[in-house]
Amino acid sequence: MLKPWLAIPVVLALGLGVRAFADGDFAKYAGVALYTTLIYALVSFWLRPLWAAVAATGFSWAVEFFQLTGIPAELEERSSLAHLVLGSTFNAPDLLWYAVGAGLGVLIVKREHRSAR
């Protein structure tokens, strides 16, 4: 099984790298998907793969809907870390890409679990 403690820095580096070195829709949606893959890796310490995917997707959706309040946009003005964690603008297609990121986490864990046998 893939160790979450190892996946966390790898996924974080991939997400930041995609956003730094790519542009356009690919960078945006890859970053969105990897955001949820990172959340998946964090919650997979405590939950089984399917439940970790549900929790990671739900958390990501909650953050996306929180953007409708305008509070993340205000926080972004004070902190670039707030922008990385909370974003600033609601974008409905992100909801799909969050689920893709959680699915990626599940696939990686299942693949690693099979190869460990």
Side-chain angles (χ1 to χ4, degrees):
M1 191 175 234
L2 183 65
K3 304 290 184 220
W5 55 267
L6 182 59
I8 291 168
V10 170
V11 172
L12 184 58
L14 282 172
L16 293 173
V18 164
R19 297 299 293 262
F21 298 109
D23 57 359
D25 286 344
F26 172 78
K28 177 176 181 13
Y29 294 120
V32 166
L34 288 167
Y35 174 88
T36 303
T37 306
L38 177 64
I39 302 301
Y40 174 89
L42 290 168
V43 299
S44 68
F45 280 107
W46 301 281
L47 302 173
R48 292 176 180 243
L50 179 60
W51 289 112
V54 169
T57 302
F59 177 83
S60 299
W61 285 1
V63 169
E64 190 69 27
F65 284 111
F66 183 54
Q67 293 170 358
L68 291 170
T69 68
I71 295 170
E74 291 175 21
L75 293 173
E76 174 188 24
E77 295 173 9
R78 296 183 217 153
S79 166
S80 36
L81 180 61
H83 175 68
L84 286 173
V85 174
L86 299 174
S88 62
T89 308
F90 178 81
N91 185 28
D94 288 356
L95 299 172
L96 168 68
W97 290 102
Y98 291 134
V100 169
L104 176 63
V106 171
L107 288 175
I108 291 169
V109 168
K110 286 187 180 249
R111 180 171 179 247
E112 288 297 317
H113 183 64
R114 275 190 226 125
S115 65
R117 287 181 183 180

